Amino acid sequence: MRVSILGCGWLGFPLAERLISEDFLVHGSTATKDKIALLEPAGITPFWITMNPELSGDDVQVFLNTDILVINIPPGRRREDVREFHVAQIRNLIVQIEKSSVGHVIFVSSTSVYPKTSSTVTEEDAENPERRSGLALLEAEQMLLNSTHFDTTVLRFGGLYGPERPLGRFLAGKKNLPNGSAPVNMIHREDCIEIILQLIQKNVRGEIFNACCDQHPVRKELYPKAAASLGLEAPEFQDDDHRTNKTVSSEKLKAALGYHFKHSL
């Protein structure tokens, strides 16, 4: 089976390596020409593709000569026009997908599609995101799901951590941080990769899934402990007893795949 990964970076590259180890044929794209040299030695057929917001670079239709497309291009949070720009990226991409052999799209989204709330959220609760990037992702999800030319599976990952991105470095040494009593929604890169692999192997299509590990410790407990484990200065939080963050439920994913998270917080 052939898989193309649009965005072979911190998550996409080890995902490609894992798929190759399971005998998939993998195309991988990067928007940075210097990284092309890293893909081929790993067994990935490399493509240089940019989305500004039109697709350009190497032959997009050759890249999309595949069975499954994994879209792993998060919207840029710092752009003032992030919603309009990312939606244009996905709209242009859909035009190309609909001319290709792709039958299944796996879209890497985020739990930022949920509103600010102090309750537990499930996949049905996505509305009125706090950030423009969340609005961009929510609209992109719907555009992909609405296409009749291919099936889409949406994965809403929590905050990603893992090699090169250890939890202990996130807030180390920072002072007077707010929302110390807010629960966190995190997922390790290894779990992200395993979940995508199982979705492909079990041919799960047309669904939306949250993906966060089962534990949701509060910020003022998690981050100081994580910093100490790396020998870094612990962050300090303001005195507050207010829960100001959602807890994301992954029960639907666990039921659909029979999945057990490999990493806990």
Side-chain angles (χ1 to χ4, degrees):
M1 187 176 288
R2 302 165 300 169
V3 179
S4 289
I5 301 173
L6 186 64
C8 261
W10 183 79
L11 172 60
F13 185 86
L15 170 63
E17 291 182 309
R18 179 65 192 281
L19 291 170
I20 290 167
S21 75
E22 297 286 338
D23 296 325
F24 289 87
L25 300 175
V26 179
H27 291 172
S29 83
T30 176
T32 307
K33 282 189 174 181
D34 290 348
K35 292 184 179 178
I36 288 288
L38 301 176
L39 302 186
E40 197 164 16
I44 305 165
T45 303
F47 289 79
W48 172 62
I49 296 176
T50 63
M51 301 174 69
N52 291 312
E54 299 81 11
L55 278 73
S56 61
D58 294 333
D59 193 322
V60 173
Q61 282 303 307
V62 175
F63 173 74
L64 294 176
N65 182 23
T66 190
D67 303 300
I68 297 167
L69 173 66
V70 179
I71 302 174
N72 180 39
I73 47 164
R77 292 182 181 179
R78 293 185 175 88
R79 292 185 64 101
E80 287 297 321
D81 63 342
V82 59
R83 181 179 184 181
E84 295 80 5
F85 186 80
H86 192 60
V87 167
Q89 286 180 311
I90 299 301
R91 182 181 297 113
N92 292 330
L93 177 59
I94 288 172
V95 170
Q96 298 299 322
I97 299 172
E98 291 181 343
K99 295 189 292 187
S100 76
S101 60
V102 172
H104 184 195
V105 168
I106 297 176
F107 181 60
V108 176
S109 187
S110 163
T111 55
S112 65
V113 300
Y114 295 111
K116 186 174 183 178
T117 178
S118 296
S119 61
T120 297
V121 295
T122 66
E123 288 77 4
E124 290 75 31
D125 297 320
E127 60 178 4
N128 302 320
E130 290 180 68
R131 298 175 180 168
R132 291 190 298 270
S133 58
L135 287 166
L137 285 169
L138 193 56
E139 193 165 344
E141 289 180 4
Q142 287 306 310
M143 292 166 63
L144 290 161
L145 288 164
N146 288 341
S147 176
T148 58
H149 290 75
F150 53 85
D151 298 319
T152 297
T153 304
V154 173
L155 270 178
R156 294 173 179 161
F157 286 138
L160 273 62
Y161 74 101
E164 298 92 49
R165 293 188 187 178
L167 282 171
R169 292 191 181 277
F170 285 8
L171 300 176
K174 295 189 176 181
K175 310 293 184 184
N176 203 34
L177 291 166
N179 302 326
S181 298
V184 300
N185 300 285
M186 307 294 294
I187 184 169
H188 193 280
R189 184 174 72 180
E190 187 179 353
D191 279 304
C192 297
I193 292 169
E194 186 65 26
I195 288 165
I196 293 171
L197 176 62
Q198 288 197 24
L199 287 174
I200 292 171
Q201 291 175 329
K202 297 179 180 181
N203 196 28
V204 179
R205 304 185 180 208
E207 297 286 352
I208 300 173
F209 295 109
N210 294 331
C212 299
C213 71
D214 292 324
Q215 295 75 32
H216 303 274
V218 297
R219 285 158 51 88
K220 63 184 178 183
E221 294 176 359
L222 173 67
Y223 290 113
K225 186 186 300 183
S229 72
L230 298 177
L232 300 175
E233 182 183 358
E236 296 178 6
F237 289 86
Q238 298 171 4
D239 258 342
D240 74 71
D241 293 314
H242 304 294
R243 172 194 172 101
T244 55
N245 194 24
K246 55 193 167 280
T247 298
V248 177
S249 169
S250 300
E251 293 304 313
K252 179 181 176 183
L253 174 76
K254 293 194 294 181
L257 298 181
Y259 190 73
H260 299 279
F261 284 88
K262 295 176 176 293
H263 293 266
S264 58
L265 293 175

